[in-house]
Amino acid sequence: MSIQYIFELFGTCFFAVSGALAASNNDEHDWFGVTFIGFITAIGGGSLRDILLGSYPLVWISNVQFLYAIIAGVILAKVFYGPLLKLRKMLFLFDTFGISLFTILGTEKALNLGVHPLIAAMMGMFSAVMGGVIRDVLSNQTPVLFRKEIYATACLAGAFLYLGLEHLQMDRTLSFILSGLFIFLIRFVAVTKKLSLPKFKS
Amino acid sequence: MSIQYIFELFGTCFFAVSGALAASNNDEHDWFGVTFIGFITAIGGGSLRDILLGSYPLVWISNVQFLYAIIAGVILAKVFYGPLLKLRKMLFLFDTFGISLFTILGTEKALNLGVHPLIAAMMGMFSAVMGGVIRDVLSNQTPVLFRKEIYATACLAGAFLYLGLEHLQMDRTLSFILSGLFIFLIRFVAVTKKLSLPKFKS
Amino acid sequence: MSIQYIFELFGTCFFAVSGALAASNNDEHDWFGVTFIGFITAIGGGSLRDILLGSYPLVWISNVQFLYAIIAGVILAKVFYGPLLKLRKMLFLFDTFGISLFTILGTEKALNLGVHPLIAAMMGMFSAVMGGVIRDVLSNQTPVLFRKEIYATACLAGAFLYLGLEHLQMDRTLSFILSGLFIFLIRFVAVTKKLSLPKFKS
């Protein structure tokens, strides 16, 4: 197993944990509902990217280990429910790690399929955030994209950095780590300093 | 025409009837709106399954008879509107028949495409319930998946029974009927006895 | 560049303008949110059509110019924000031009892929209206399909006219223009005269 594959499984698991915890805010949800939302949060973004790109088979359909990672995430969310809620900051870190990782993985995958770099950056951002958007739509909530602090824009910025470093032919591992870290930092600073983009309507 | 094909057309028609009746609860809906919701309810789940599996062409796109079955369902819903609403139990039976049938058909189709049995069971459940989920999202309602009585879980249970019977190499028609009946019974008992899964948050 | 291609770019740009203006009704939206909604409005319908038909690659993924047209549309919406809002009638004309154009383009594309004419008409209507539906779902609003004045039905009527003229082997450009105009007129009359379809529930 490559390190990247292990990271992907962990990222999927973290997304499922954060999806399950978000779902469990609604007291009514039963085990099935929470698992379903954890699942959608974890695989929604990558699935949408692959469907848009026509890149079959979808990763989680050809490899059942991603389903196991999601189930593990939901069980972890149940077992460590109390501590996890107390450690909301910890969770925020997991989610931020997840979007950083999936943005760069998604951008790279799209680039390898030969699309224009701008489209590849969008696909990277979609991979990271659209699972959360589908989760929010199913839960009748305002999609995470439209909330205050910088979120998807951080993913786009990191994807552009990755494209730039690729263009400069930097070592792949290094550019991967640097761009992921860049997303992580923007998001971290945005949330701690409550930074948001300018409103469209001035 | 095989018996299975006739069942599929009837299942599609029943789903359209139940979608149209659900839509017509909203007094504002015109003919187009009700037909559209009947259509989405009927083909949404199978379409999502096939798009996820990359299995083209979609059934209703390559065979226009499914569209006729849907239009027939909407007209039936109009003609028998009064009686159908009085016979809500009848409708519940139709919907339950529909999800039982489509779960097993969907599981079988996914298995034949060579995916892991767990994924096949999920695809079967998706075929049965996701049309209703898309309908609910379009209508700004809480998706049927997250409501109280056991619903999607019954589909999963039936899909697993089907996989077990397949594994035991039982005759296909028999395992088809038994697993479908199993879903039907779970759902029937769940609704009459108001059974629900345990809440995630204890 | 063919005239049709130029029309498609303009149609995409107009859809992005109307999406961005709709999004900016919500005072909270930042630049990213408005751009995202303009984007979804512009490419949602065509993407759904192509995914349902399995017709890859999606137009905007293989040709980055559509993304530029969308960005231009969002910038136009910002620069001419005041005048555009005053000219709501102008906007309505843009949207109506957009749905007329995309319905016929979508119908034609589906026909060329060999589907049944009825399905082709549906695909044309989907191309025109589903971007707006996805936008409305993301914004927790009642989808445009279910609002009062005749909308999607005008698209279907125009698509059927196009199919009829094709069947009569009329010159393609002429049948294209006539059917598009037909949609434009139905929609124009429907809105000015407040025409709506009969309610399903009488």
Short mmCIF file of all heavy atoms in Angstrom, two decimals, chain B residues 17-48:
data_model
loop_
_atom_site.label_atom_id
_atom_site.label_comp_id
_atom_site.label_asym_id
_atom_site.label_seq_id
_atom_site.Cartn_x
_atom_site.Cartn_y
_atom_site.Cartn_z
N VAL B 17 -47.33 6.85 -9.61
CA VAL B 17 -48.59 7.13 -8.90
C VAL B 17 -48.29 7.70 -7.52
O VAL B 17 -48.83 8.75 -7.13
CB VAL B 17 -49.45 5.85 -8.74
CG1 VAL B 17 -50.64 6.12 -7.83
CG2 VAL B 17 -49.92 5.34 -10.10
N SER B 18 -47.38 7.04 -6.79
CA SER B 18 -47.15 7.49 -5.42
C SER B 18 -46.45 8.85 -5.41
O SER B 18 -46.73 9.71 -4.57
CB SER B 18 -46.42 6.43 -4.59
OG SER B 18 -45.04 6.57 -4.67
N GLY B 19 -45.56 9.08 -6.40
CA GLY B 19 -44.92 10.39 -6.50
C GLY B 19 -45.92 11.49 -6.82
O GLY B 19 -45.90 12.56 -6.23
N ALA B 20 -46.82 11.19 -7.77
CA ALA B 20 -47.82 12.19 -8.17
C ALA B 20 -48.74 12.52 -7.00
O ALA B 20 -49.07 13.68 -6.77
CB ALA B 20 -48.62 11.67 -9.36
N LEU B 21 -49.13 11.51 -6.24
CA LEU B 21 -50.02 11.77 -5.11
C LEU B 21 -49.31 12.57 -4.03
O LEU B 21 -49.88 13.49 -3.44
CB LEU B 21 -50.56 10.46 -4.54
CG LEU B 21 -51.59 9.78 -5.45
CD1 LEU B 21 -51.90 8.39 -4.95
CD2 LEU B 21 -52.87 10.60 -5.52
N ALA B 22 -48.04 12.24 -3.79
CA ALA B 22 -47.26 13.01 -2.82
C ALA B 22 -47.18 14.47 -3.27
O ALA B 22 -47.36 15.40 -2.48
CB ALA B 22 -45.87 12.42 -2.65
N ALA B 23 -46.90 14.67 -4.56
CA ALA B 23 -46.76 16.03 -5.09
C ALA B 23 -48.06 16.81 -4.99
O ALA B 23 -48.06 18.01 -4.72
CB ALA B 23 -46.31 15.97 -6.55
N SER B 24 -49.17 16.12 -5.18
CA SER B 24 -50.44 16.83 -5.24
C SER B 24 -50.91 17.26 -3.85
O SER B 24 -51.88 18.00 -3.73
CB SER B 24 -51.50 15.98 -5.91
OG SER B 24 -51.77 14.84 -5.12
N ASN B 25 -50.20 16.83 -2.80
CA ASN B 25 -50.47 17.36 -1.47
C ASN B 25 -50.28 18.87 -1.45
O ASN B 25 -50.91 19.57 -0.67
CB ASN B 25 -49.52 16.75 -0.43
CG ASN B 25 -50.03 15.40 0.04
OD1 ASN B 25 -51.21 15.11 -0.08
ND2 ASN B 25 -49.12 14.60 0.57
N ASN B 26 -49.35 19.32 -2.30
CA ASN B 26 -49.12 20.74 -2.44
C ASN B 26 -50.15 21.29 -3.43
O ASN B 26 -50.07 21.01 -4.63
CB ASN B 26 -47.69 20.97 -2.94
CG ASN B 26 -47.35 22.44 -3.03
OD1 ASN B 26 -48.22 23.27 -3.27
ND2 ASN B 26 -46.08 22.76 -2.87
N ASP B 27 -51.10 22.06 -2.92
CA ASP B 27 -52.21 22.51 -3.76
C ASP B 27 -51.76 23.33 -4.96
O ASP B 27 -52.49 23.46 -5.94
CB ASP B 27 -53.18 23.37 -2.93
CG ASP B 27 -53.96 22.52 -1.96
OD1 ASP B 27 -54.09 21.30 -2.23
OD2 ASP B 27 -54.42 23.04 -0.94
N GLU B 28 -50.57 23.93 -4.84
CA GLU B 28 -50.11 24.84 -5.89
C GLU B 28 -49.66 24.13 -7.15
O GLU B 28 -49.58 24.74 -8.21
CB GLU B 28 -48.95 25.70 -5.37
CG GLU B 28 -49.37 26.74 -4.36
CD GLU B 28 -50.47 27.62 -4.92
OE1 GLU B 28 -50.24 28.25 -5.96
OE2 GLU B 28 -51.57 27.65 -4.33
N HIS B 29 -49.29 22.85 -7.04
CA HIS B 29 -48.68 22.18 -8.19
C HIS B 29 -49.63 22.06 -9.37
O HIS B 29 -50.77 21.65 -9.24
CB HIS B 29 -48.19 20.79 -7.80
CG HIS B 29 -46.87 20.81 -7.11
ND1 HIS B 29 -45.82 21.61 -7.52
CD2 HIS B 29 -46.40 20.14 -6.03
CE1 HIS B 29 -44.79 21.43 -6.72
NE2 HIS B 29 -45.11 20.56 -5.80
N ASP B 30 -49.10 22.42 -10.55
CA ASP B 30 -49.88 22.24 -11.77
C ASP B 30 -49.55 20.87 -12.37
O ASP B 30 -48.79 20.09 -11.81
CB ASP B 30 -49.60 23.39 -12.75
CG ASP B 30 -48.14 23.46 -13.19
OD1 ASP B 30 -47.44 22.44 -13.15
OD2 ASP B 30 -47.71 24.55 -13.59
N TRP B 31 -50.16 20.60 -13.52
CA TRP B 31 -49.95 19.31 -14.17
C TRP B 31 -48.48 19.01 -14.43
O TRP B 31 -48.02 17.88 -14.23
CB TRP B 31 -50.73 19.26 -15.49
CG TRP B 31 -52.09 18.73 -15.31
CD1 TRP B 31 -53.20 19.43 -14.96
CD2 TRP B 31 -52.50 17.37 -15.44
NE1 TRP B 31 -54.27 18.59 -14.87
CE2 TRP B 31 -53.89 17.33 -15.17
CE3 TRP B 31 -51.85 16.19 -15.77
CZ2 TRP B 31 -54.61 16.15 -15.20
CZ3 TRP B 31 -52.57 15.01 -15.80
CH2 TRP B 31 -53.93 14.99 -15.52
N PHE B 32 -47.77 20.01 -14.89
CA PHE B 32 -46.37 19.75 -15.19
C PHE B 32 -45.60 19.38 -13.92
O PHE B 32 -44.83 18.42 -13.91
CB PHE B 32 -45.69 20.97 -15.85
CG PHE B 32 -44.24 20.72 -16.07
CD1 PHE B 32 -43.81 20.00 -17.17
CD2 PHE B 32 -43.30 21.15 -15.14
CE1 PHE B 32 -42.47 19.72 -17.35
CE2 PHE B 32 -41.95 20.87 -15.32
CZ PHE B 32 -41.54 20.15 -16.42
N GLY B 33 -45.81 20.16 -12.86
CA GLY B 33 -45.07 19.90 -11.61
C GLY B 33 -45.33 18.51 -11.07
O GLY B 33 -44.40 17.81 -10.65
N VAL B 34 -46.59 18.10 -11.10
CA VAL B 34 -46.94 16.77 -10.58
C VAL B 34 -46.34 15.67 -11.45
O VAL B 34 -45.79 14.68 -10.94
CB VAL B 34 -48.47 16.63 -10.46
CG1 VAL B 34 -48.86 15.20 -10.19
CG2 VAL B 34 -49.00 17.55 -9.36
N THR B 35 -46.40 15.86 -12.76
CA THR B 35 -45.83 14.85 -13.66
C THR B 35 -44.32 14.76 -13.45
O THR B 35 -43.74 13.66 -13.40
CB THR B 35 -46.14 15.21 -15.13
OG1 THR B 35 -47.55 15.42 -15.27
CG2 THR B 35 -45.68 14.11 -16.07
N PHE B 36 -43.68 15.92 -13.31
CA PHE B 36 -42.23 15.94 -13.12
C PHE B 36 -41.85 15.18 -11.85
O PHE B 36 -40.90 14.40 -11.83
CB PHE B 36 -41.73 17.39 -13.06
CG PHE B 36 -40.24 17.51 -13.00
CD1 PHE B 36 -39.49 17.40 -14.17
CD2 PHE B 36 -39.58 17.72 -11.80
CE1 PHE B 36 -38.11 17.51 -14.13
CE2 PHE B 36 -38.21 17.83 -11.75
CZ PHE B 36 -37.47 17.72 -12.92
N ILE B 37 -42.60 15.40 -10.77
CA ILE B 37 -42.27 14.73 -9.51
C ILE B 37 -42.56 13.23 -9.60
O ILE B 37 -41.80 12.41 -9.10
CB ILE B 37 -43.02 15.40 -8.35
CG1 ILE B 37 -42.40 16.79 -8.12
CG2 ILE B 37 -42.93 14.56 -7.08
CD1 ILE B 37 -42.95 17.54 -6.94
N GLY B 38 -43.66 12.87 -10.29
CA GLY B 38 -43.91 11.45 -10.51
C GLY B 38 -42.76 10.81 -11.28
O GLY B 38 -42.29 9.71 -10.95
N PHE B 39 -42.28 11.53 -12.28
CA PHE B 39 -41.18 11.03 -13.10
C PHE B 39 -39.90 10.83 -12.29
O PHE B 39 -39.27 9.77 -12.34
CB PHE B 39 -40.95 12.04 -14.24
CG PHE B 39 -39.70 11.82 -15.03
CD1 PHE B 39 -39.64 10.84 -16.01
CD2 PHE B 39 -38.56 12.58 -14.78
CE1 PHE B 39 -38.48 10.63 -16.74
CE2 PHE B 39 -37.40 12.39 -15.51
CZ PHE B 39 -37.36 11.41 -16.49
N ILE B 40 -39.53 11.86 -11.51
CA ILE B 40 -38.31 11.80 -10.71
C ILE B 40 -38.39 10.66 -9.68
O ILE B 40 -37.43 9.93 -9.45
CB ILE B 40 -38.11 13.14 -9.96
CG1 ILE B 40 -37.68 14.23 -10.90
CG2 ILE B 40 -37.12 12.99 -8.82
CD1 ILE B 40 -36.24 14.14 -11.34
N THR B 41 -39.56 10.52 -9.05
CA THR B 41 -39.74 9.45 -8.07
C THR B 41 -39.52 8.09 -8.72
O THR B 41 -38.91 7.19 -8.14
CB THR B 41 -41.16 9.51 -7.47
OG1 THR B 41 -41.42 10.83 -7.02
CG2 THR B 41 -41.32 8.53 -6.32
N ALA B 42 -40.03 7.96 -9.95
CA ALA B 42 -39.99 6.66 -10.61
C ALA B 42 -38.61 6.31 -11.14
O ALA B 42 -38.16 5.17 -11.04
CB ALA B 42 -41.01 6.63 -11.75
N ILE B 43 -37.89 7.29 -11.72
CA ILE B 43 -36.63 6.92 -12.38
C ILE B 43 -35.39 7.40 -11.62
O ILE B 43 -34.27 7.05 -11.99
CB ILE B 43 -36.56 7.42 -13.83
CG1 ILE B 43 -36.66 8.95 -13.90
CG2 ILE B 43 -37.65 6.82 -14.69
CD1 ILE B 43 -35.37 9.67 -13.77
N GLY B 44 -35.57 8.20 -10.56
CA GLY B 44 -34.41 8.78 -9.88
C GLY B 44 -33.45 7.75 -9.31
O GLY B 44 -32.23 7.86 -9.48
N GLY B 45 -33.99 6.76 -8.62
CA GLY B 45 -33.13 5.79 -7.94
C GLY B 45 -32.34 4.93 -8.91
O GLY B 45 -31.13 4.77 -8.78
N GLY B 46 -33.03 4.39 -9.91
CA GLY B 46 -32.34 3.55 -10.89
C GLY B 46 -31.33 4.35 -11.70
O GLY B 46 -30.25 3.84 -12.04
N SER B 47 -31.67 5.62 -11.99
CA SER B 47 -30.74 6.45 -12.77
C SER B 47 -29.48 6.72 -11.95
O SER B 47 -28.36 6.63 -12.48
CB SER B 47 -31.38 7.79 -13.13
OG SER B 47 -32.52 7.59 -13.92
N LEU B 48 -29.65 7.05 -10.67
CA LEU B 48 -28.48 7.31 -9.84
C LEU B 48 -27.59 6.06 -9.76
O LEU B 48 -26.37 6.14 -9.92
CB LEU B 48 -28.91 7.74 -8.43
CG LEU B 48 -27.74 8.05 -7.51
CD1 LEU B 48 -26.95 9.25 -7.99
CD2 LEU B 48 -28.21 8.29 -6.08
#
